[in-house]
Amino acid sequence: MRILVTGGTGRLGRAVVPALAGEDVQIMSRRGHVVADLSTGEGVAAAVAGVDVVVHLATGNTGRRDVAAACRLVTAARRAGVAHLVYVSIVGVDRVPNSYYRGKLAVERLLAESGLPHTILRTTQFHDLVRAYLAAVSRLPVVPVPDLRVQPIDVRDVATHLAPLVTGPPRGRVEDLGGPEVLSFETLARTYGGKGVVRYRLPGRTFRAYRDGGHLTGTPGGEITFAQYVDERR
C-alpha cells in the first residue's frame, strides 16, 4: 500500500509515520521528501499520483488556511483516483465556536461533500500542546491557568489508533478519541511544575463551551497519562 502523509514531519506525523512501518510511506513537505506546497498547490498533483491512501495531518495557524489547503489536496486526490483520505480533526469542532475549530469542521464537511472515500478521526488536545502552554507561563512567579478541564492525549496513542484506520477501508467519521484522564488545568500545572497556581476565567461563548465540556469525549481513551508524559521528559 502506497501512503502519502502530509505534515509527516510535524508533532503528530513523527509518531504516525513509524506506526505505519511495513507500508510504502512517503512524506509530503515543502523541503525534501515528496516536495509539494499545500499553501499554493504547487507539486500537489504530482505528489498524490499513484497513491492509495493520503493521511492529512498538515495544519496551519488559521482555519481559513486549513480549508484552502484541504481544497487543493482533495481536488488533486479525486483527480488522481486516490482510494482513501484519512483526516485528523479535533473533538468539539461542532460545539466550540472557535475560528480554528470552524476551519477543521469546514474541512470535515468538504470531505463529506467531495465524494472522496474518507475517514475522519477527531482527537482531544495533545500532551505537547498543554506542555507548551505550561512551559511558557511557568516562567512567571505564579502560574496563571484557565479554569477549565481538558482531556489531553499522547500523540503516540493517536498514532497507534490511527494506523489500522489508515490501512483499513474508508469509514467516514469514526468514534472520537480522547486521553485517559479529564483533569483541570490547575492539576496539570501542578503536575508539570509544582509552583503556585492562580486560576482565571474568561468571558465569551468559546470559553463557555469549553467550561461545558464541548471539547471532551465523555469516555477515556489512550494509555499514556500527562504525568507519565512529563516524567519521560524530566
Side-chain angles (χ1 to χ4, degrees), residues 84 118-120 165 168-175:
H84 188 189
H118 63 276
T119 298
I120 297 170
L165 297 177
R171 293 176 53 186
R173 183 184 161 198
V174 296
E175 184 177 356

Side-chain angles (χ1 to χ4, degrees), residues 94-228:
D94 53 350
R95 299 191 295 263
V96 178
N98 170 294
S99 61
Y100 184 69
Y101 279 29
R102 282 195 292 267
K104 293 290 187 182
L105 182 59
V107 174
E108 290 186 13
R109 289 172 175 166
L110 170 67
L111 284 171
E113 295 167 1
S114 69
L116 185 67
H118 63 276
T119 298
I120 297 170
L121 172 66
R122 293 180 180 179
T123 76
T124 52
Q125 288 73 28
F126 300 152
H127 289 328
D128 307 73
L129 180 64
V130 175
R131 181 185 61 83
Y133 171 81
L134 294 175
V137 298
S138 290
R139 300 188 183 100
L140 302 173
V142 178
V143 178
V145 294
D147 186 16
L148 300 173
R149 297 171 299 146
V150 289
Q151 189 180 358
I153 188 167
D154 196 280
V155 291
R156 291 166 292 182
D157 282 334
V158 177
T160 299
H161 188 86
L162 192 66
L165 297 177
V166 172
T167 57
R171 293 176 53 186
R173 183 184 161 198
V174 296
E175 184 177 356
D176 294 351
L177 178 66
E181 300 174 305
V182 176
L183 301 169
S184 69
F185 245 106
E186 181 177 1
T187 298
L188 292 166
R190 296 188 187 284
T191 299
Y192 179 76
K195 295 173 68 174
V197 175
V198 58
R199 290 178 295 172
Y200 64 86
R201 175 173 289 203
L202 294 175
R205 293 187 303 142
T206 296
F207 281 89
R208 186 182 310 119
Y210 280 129
R211 287 194 296 272
D212 290 342
H215 58 308
L216 308 176
T217 65
T219 56
E223 296 182 0
I224 303 169
T225 66
F226 185 73
Q228 291 170 323

